[in-house]
Amino acid sequence: MTGLTYEEAVKHILNTEAIFETTTAQVAGVNFRVFKNIPTDLRALLQASREPQDDGKAEYLVFQNQRYSYDAFCNDINKMTHVLQDRFGIKPRDRVAVAMSNCPELLILMMAISSIGATCVFLNAWWTTEELRYALQDTDAKVVFADDTRSKRLQPLQDELELTLIGTGHAQPHPSFDDLMQVETRTEWPTVDIDPDSDFAIMYSSGTTSDPKGVALTHRGAVNAVFTWLVQAAIAPLINPPDDPNAEKPRPVTMITTPLFHVTATHPGFLLSLPAGAKVVLMDKWDADTAVNLIESEGVTRFVGVPTQSADIQLAAQKNGKRLETLAQVVAGGAKRPAAQVGDLAQAFPLAEIATGWGMTETNAIGIGLSGADYVAQPGAAGRLFPPLQEMLFLDDDGQPVAQGEVGEMTVKSPCNMRCYINKLDETSQAMQDGWFKTGDLGYIDSDGIITIVDRKKNIIIRGGENIACLDVEGALHQHPAILESCAFPVPHERLGEVVGAAVQTRSGMTITLEDLSEFLSTRIARFKTPEHLWIQTTPLPRGATDKIDRRALRSQCIAELGLNT
């Protein structure tokens, strides 16, 4: 059977599948194309997903020695909604924070908070106490659920910020998540009205400023993103028909390995699994050998992780003699996969489709993607814009569209875009105009609709999928008494893609070492932001024509000393 072209497949699905019918909705005075027949909020998405999850009977979530059916998972969510409402008085639009590594409790809390119209504030589990202080003050969240490690970091803030801390670990010196759940018996769904354009979550994204930006994501944005990915799943067999169209397909099983405080895990990992009828295998920390064993034992069909993790499972599978034949898709998100890795993965996993996805916290993770033969043929490309809701322009420095094939700033419009950066009116107005979001990424589109990303306008380092603002690092460096000025930049790294490098000018008569600096920064910024390469000089850092530090020239100079290519 001959497959359809990409355009033909999209047209067929949109014309024949009622769930993908579109209409127009006005949000904050701007008209957007949206799906007409999908759930309006995350609670409704949970309810509608019971049918594809074998009417609730399917095994849904696997974590270490814990296993949840879909109904059991939803029952725990509903128990927590009553706890939040009755014990803590949480109302629609209130903000409740979660600070923990990956675990079922985090997913239960995320959906319970959003199911009563409140907003889940995701706190980066790697943040220091000071970084946690900033986000809690920024959101004014007073109720915080935290595991043992994060509880220790939060306790110095408890009295100062008047926090109610609820523990989810073993050392629970405050109300316990488990205790609260054990005494609650009600499992009926909450009935509070949810505004589709209210915030279901605030997630933090590092930008070009030193402070992280709280990205407000709405129910409408998240659910429309989920169904945009479902369109991709629906068109795939039309483009590449199976050898036996009557053969029974295995149940989809997705593995979540990246932190749940990032959209790569919450959106195309967790939220997409619900209506897709997929089982979720959740890992709390990355270990390639463990991942390979879980893929084999749980029959994982879809692996989504940062490019580093794709390379890790390839090596671990080869080392352990595992073929991982259940894998049907190996997807990279959170950072660009090195082009050389694409062919290697396709060879290592011949039964799997190798894919890449580009999206941002600000877009609810939706954006562009490429997979299969198209990706192998163009491993440096980012992909096609996912239909049917999104629009994209490539703009020059004056905000005017550039010609096809020319490089411009990727600017996207869709109902999936964020509502705003909280408490940052200037940054919001600079990034968003009339529904269009300026991504800060530079790219171009070819005649086949394939987009290639060539650079970032923003000074961001992406270390293993984790965004790091250069100014965030520099702000911490300037706190050291020996440092007069500094400049942070990405250094290529074979496994992580990029790591943090920094050049500093020291004050007269003062010295510093990388080891000294790492110890100094340990309580000021998260460990992953700490420079792994340091260049020290006593003269001023190089300047450009406007007397600003010439970051590009300095980076090229420093990296050349390592014998690496920029």
Side-chain angles (χ1 to χ4, degrees):
M1 178 180 175
T2 303
L4 303 179
T5 66
Y6 186 86
E7 293 75 14
E8 290 170 342
V10 171
K11 184 177 180 180
H12 176 79
I13 287 296
L14 297 183
N15 287 339
T16 59
E17 298 288 341
I19 193 65
F20 298 130
E21 182 181 351
T22 63
T23 186
T24 300
Q26 190 173 90
V27 182
V30 178
N31 287 326
F32 293 96
R33 190 180 187 189
V34 300
F35 289 113
K36 181 180 179 180
N37 300 318
I38 65 173
T40 58
D41 55 70
L42 293 190
R43 185 179 73 210
L45 179 67
L46 276 172
Q47 293 169 321
S49 298
R50 189 172 186 269
E51 181 179 351
Q53 294 286 349
D54 194 19
D55 292 325
K57 296 187 294 294
E59 182 176 75
Y60 173 64
L61 179 62
V62 176
F63 177 75
Q64 297 176 359
N65 61 349
Q66 302 177 49
R67 292 180 179 269
Y68 293 75
S69 71
Y70 189 76
D71 275 350
F73 179 65
C74 289
N75 284 343
D76 276 2
I77 290 170
N78 289 334
K79 284 183 180 181
M80 181 50 63
T81 65
H82 295 295
V83 169
L84 292 169
Q85 290 175 316
D86 298 346
R87 175 70 180 263
F88 300 107
I90 302 300
K91 303 181 297 298
R93 300 183 187 272
D94 285 349
R95 293 166 175 173
V96 179
V98 293
M100 59 193 73
S101 60
N102 287 5
C103 59
E105 290 86 347
L106 199 159
L107 294 176
I108 290 165
L109 285 163
M110 168 187 171
M111 299 309 287
I113 293 164
S114 59
S115 288
I116 57 174
T119 304
C120 182
V121 177
F122 289 85
L123 300 176
N124 190 311
W126 295 329
W127 277 346
T128 63
T129 296
E130 288 307 305
E131 290 167 315
L132 292 167
R133 181 202 305 272
Y134 171 81
L136 290 170
Q137 290 179 323
D138 192 39
T139 59
D140 198 32
K142 298 301 183 184
V143 176
V144 185
F145 289 81
D147 61 17
D148 290 344
T149 301
R150 266 47 65 173
S151 290
K152 291 177 182 177
R153 297 178 198 165
L154 287 162
Q155 281 170 6
L157 307 176
Q158 189 167 5
D159 292 339
E160 174 193 345
L161 301 183
E162 299 179 343
L163 303 178
T164 298
L165 282 178
I166 301 98
T168 61
H170 300 292
Q172 299 164 342
H174 33 66
S176 157
F177 178 96
D178 288 342
D179 290 344
L180 293 170
M181 291 288 282
Q182 286 173 8
V183 299
E184 180 56 63
T185 59
R186 291 167 295 174
T187 59
E188 66 271 16
W189 292 96
T191 58
V192 61
D193 291 337
I194 299 175
D195 179 355
D197 296 312
S198 65
D199 301 339
F200 94 88
I202 294 172
M203 289 182 150
Y204 276 86
S205 174
S206 293
T208 54
T209 58
S210 59
D211 292 332
K213 294 180 290 191
V215 181
L217 302 175
T218 67
H219 288 262
R220 186 193 299 272
V223 179
N224 275 273
V226 167
F227 279 82
T228 298
W229 283 306
L230 287 176
V231 169
Q232 299 305 303
I235 67 174
L238 300 180
I239 297 172
N240 297 301
D243 294 334
D244 181 2
N246 297 317
E248 185 178 353
K249 297 178 182 178
R251 183 187 178 200
V253 181
T254 190
M255 174 175 275
I256 296 178
T257 62
T258 55
L260 284 165
F261 49 79
H262 286 325
V263 288
T264 300
T266 53
H267 287 55
F270 167 56
L271 291 178
L272 177 58
S273 74
L274 300 169
K279 181 172 82 170
V280 170
V281 178
L282 181 65
M283 293 184 67
D284 64 334
K285 59 183 178 181
W286 177 243
D287 179 83
D289 291 331
T290 301
V292 164
N293 290 334
L294 284 170
I295 290 169
E296 188 174 63
S297 64
E298 299 293 340
V300 172
T301 62
R302 184 169 183 262
F303 178 89
V304 183
V306 295
T308 300
Q309 294 171 326
S310 299
D312 285 352
I313 63 166
Q314 177 188 346
L315 293 175
Q318 291 171 344
K319 178 185 71 174
N320 294 298
K322 309 276 191 181
R323 291 179 55 84
L324 305 187
E325 294 180 344
T326 62
L327 277 181
Q329 198 173 43
V330 179
V331 186
K336 185 177 180 180
R337 177 185 273 136
Q341 192 187 100
V342 180
D344 290 344
L345 287 170
Q347 186 173 5
F349 304 119
L351 301 179
E353 185 178 65
I354 312 304
T356 185
W358 171 94
M360 303 177 70
T361 307
E362 289 90 339
T363 67
N364 269 289
I366 202 66
I368 57 183
L370 199 62
S371 61
D374 286 345
Y375 187 32
V376 174
Q378 300 181 73
R384 295 183 176 88
L385 187 70
F386 289 150
L389 309 180
Q390 300 183 99
E391 303 172 64
M392 183 172 281
L393 295 172
F394 296 81
L395 305 180
D396 62 21
D397 289 339
D398 295 322
Q400 298 301 310
V402 301
Q404 178 183 295
E406 293 186 8
V407 173
E409 181 175 6
M410 296 162 56
T411 306
V412 64
K413 178 182 179 181
S414 92
C416 306
N417 285 351
M418 68 173 184
R419 182 177 62 81
C420 70
Y421 294 121
I422 64 168
N423 304 323
K424 294 186 183 295
L425 293 177
D426 289 344
E427 287 89 340
T428 300
S429 61
Q430 290 169 14
M432 294 188 70
Q433 290 98 33
D434 299 322
W436 291 90
F437 173 68
K438 294 182 177 180
T439 67
D441 285 325
L442 300 175
Y444 63 88
I445 187 169
D446 67 16
S447 58
D448 293 325
I450 303 292
I451 296 164
T452 299
I453 300 173
V454 298
D455 204 350
R456 293 191 297 273
K457 289 185 73 172
K458 302 178 290 185
N459 296 323
I460 294 289
I461 301 162
I462 304 182
R463 182 189 185 277
E466 191 73 31
N467 283 8
I468 303 167
C470 290
L471 291 186
D472 194 9
V473 177
E474 291 162 8
L477 291 172
H478 285 154
Q479 295 177 39
H480 195 287
I483 294 176
L484 181 60
E485 66 176 5
S486 68
C487 179
F489 45 80
V491 174
H493 188 277
E494 184 176 356
R495 179 173 175 272
L496 297 171
E498 294 174 345
V499 294
V500 180
V504 301
Q505 178 193 1
T506 55
R507 298 180 186 276
S508 177
M510 303 184 75
T511 60
I512 191 173
T513 66
L514 181 59
E515 291 74 20
D516 292 338
L517 185 61
S518 296
E519 183 177 354
F520 175 82
L521 294 176
S522 64
T523 59
R524 289 168 171 81
I525 55 175
R527 185 178 302 174
F528 69 90
K529 301 178 185 178
T530 302
E532 298 184 30
H533 298 275
L534 183 66
W535 289 265
I536 304 168
Q537 60 188 63
T538 57
T539 55
L541 301 181
R543 255 68 178 175
T546 60
D547 201 38
K548 294 181 179 180
I549 293 176
D550 191 338
R551 192 183 307 271
R552 286 193 178 188
L554 182 59
R555 174 177 182 263
S556 296
Q557 173 187 323
C558 292
I559 290 177
E561 296 180 14
L562 297 176
L564 301 174
N565 296 320
T566 58

